[in-house]
Amino acid sequence: MIKRLGLLFEATHLANKTLPIGNIPPHDDSAKFPAYLYEKFSTYQENGGLEGTAGIFLGTTRPGDRGRILVPFQSLGVKSMGSTYIIDRDKDATTLIHELTHQLMSPQAKQASWFCEGSAEYVAMTPYAGGRFNFGSNRSHIVSRVTEYGKKNTGGRALGDDFEAPGLEAFMNMPYTQFTNENANLHYGLAALMAYYFYHMDGKGDAQRIKNYMKAIQSGTSEKEAQKLLLDGRTYEELAKEIEQKWRKAGVKIRFRASS
């Protein structure tokens, strides 16, 4: 079990390091990324886990701190069997990959809600098996997870392939509490599509604007100023239309509301 989970941790670490955004700053090999796994859900809750969650990332508390991940065994498909443990190899590892991505992001950079969660969703929705992420075929998997209910009717955002979204400017500047507490399925699903758009569809498809954005955020630039690098001369309305057009060609009809 530990070997399998260790492989998942290392593969997720490598996947995040090689993303076009480079959302992990350089660190030495002694850097630690703490993760706590709990056999009992009640113990998970006692240590900071929340009811109704399959895992959680507790953020940094001091400079250089990477925070910690808490995951109950049930989210990993792990069960006790006598004096040992067995693991369901078909269990979806999406939750753990999502939380690991949060932990691997720069602790100094304060990303906007849509990017923070969209990036984690993007990696988590990418096909993973045996220590490898298949980014070459992840678009269809991301679309499926966003528009449908997911494998065994769990994990999907179930937005359908035609849905209304908040105004783009409002969405890109949405407070985290609103993002996670009000219509979270819509916000997380849309964020995943937004992350994919900026990594693969925007401009020349080279992720240059999102690279510029992340470099600015990591250097301490405000979110408002950093977003100007994403807009790159476009208005939010113009960018919204571009996102709608690109995703419509891929079979998903997003309808951003007009800015108020």
Side-chain angles (χ1 to χ4, degrees):
M1 181 192 80
I2 295 299
K3 180 179 179 181
R4 184 167 181 268
L5 293 178
L7 182 62
L8 174 64
F9 276 57
E10 294 299 335
T12 305
H13 183 213
L14 180 60
N16 276 273
K17 284 180 70 175
T18 54
L19 276 176
I21 54 169
N23 65 14
I24 304 177
H27 57 76
D28 61 44
D29 291 338
S30 65
K32 303 295 182 183
F33 301 89
Y36 296 84
L37 311 180
Y38 297 96
E39 180 176 7
K40 296 180 180 179
F41 195 84
S42 57
T43 311
Y44 164 72
Q45 288 181 291
E46 290 169 4
N47 286 275
L50 302 177
E51 182 69 39
T53 61
I56 192 169
F57 169 63
L58 299 181
T60 59
T61 57
R62 60 186 183 277
D65 184 9
R66 286 280 175 180
R68 63 191 188 279
I69 292 173
L70 313 181
V71 185
F73 273 14
Q74 66 188 48
S75 297
L76 305 171
V78 177
K79 299 177 181 179
S80 61
M81 184 69 71
S83 61
T84 188
Y85 296 95
I86 60 172
I87 188 164
D88 179 1
R89 294 185 178 276
D90 293 327
K91 184 68 176 180
D92 193 332
T94 298
T95 296
L96 184 53
I97 294 169
H98 179 109
E99 301 304 338
L100 280 168
T101 300
H102 281 319
Q103 188 179 37
L104 292 165
M105 287 179 173
S106 170
Q108 286 78 34
K110 295 182 178 179
Q111 297 96 349
S113 305
W114 73 269
F115 180 77
C116 180
E117 296 301 337
S119 182
E121 288 285 273
Y122 171 88
V123 180
M125 291 178 177
T126 295
Y128 169 84
R132 295 179 66 88
F133 284 88
N134 187 355
F135 287 99
S137 65
N138 67 348
R139 189 176 77 178
S140 62
H141 286 261
I142 290 172
V143 169
S144 177
R145 292 296 290 257
V146 170
T147 61
E148 300 172 10
Y149 284 95
K151 185 179 180 181
K152 297 181 181 179
N153 291 325
T154 60
R157 298 299 176 184
L159 301 183
D161 57 10
D162 184 345
F163 60 90
E164 185 178 65
L168 183 59
E169 183 175 6
F171 181 68
M172 291 179 71
N173 294 281
M174 186 176 289
Y176 195 74
T177 52
Q178 181 183 355
F179 186 97
T180 56
N181 295 331
E182 298 178 15
N183 209 346
N185 263 348
L186 171 61
H187 296 158
Y188 277 77
L190 177 58
L193 297 181
M194 290 272 291
Y196 187 94
Y197 170 82
F198 281 113
Y199 295 163
H200 303 288
M201 296 174 163
D202 190 38
K204 298 178 181 179
D206 57 1
Q208 189 56 55
R209 287 167 175 150
I210 199 73
K211 289 177 184 177
N212 295 340
Y213 166 82
M214 270 307 299
K215 287 178 181 177
I217 289 292
Q218 289 180 343
S219 68
T221 302
S222 70
E223 178 66 27
K224 183 177 180 180
E225 289 300 311
Q227 282 189 18
K228 291 179 180 179
L229 299 173
L230 286 178
L231 293 169
D232 197 16
R234 299 169 289 186
T235 65
Y236 285 99
E237 291 75 14
E238 289 169 341
L239 176 56
K241 288 181 180 179
E242 289 185 23
I243 295 172
E244 289 175 348
Q245 290 169 356
K246 292 289 179 67
W247 272 115
R248 188 177 293 114
K249 290 180 180 178
V252 182
K253 187 176 182 180
I254 305 170
R255 293 173 285 110
F256 288 104
R257 299 189 194 106
S259 299
S260 56

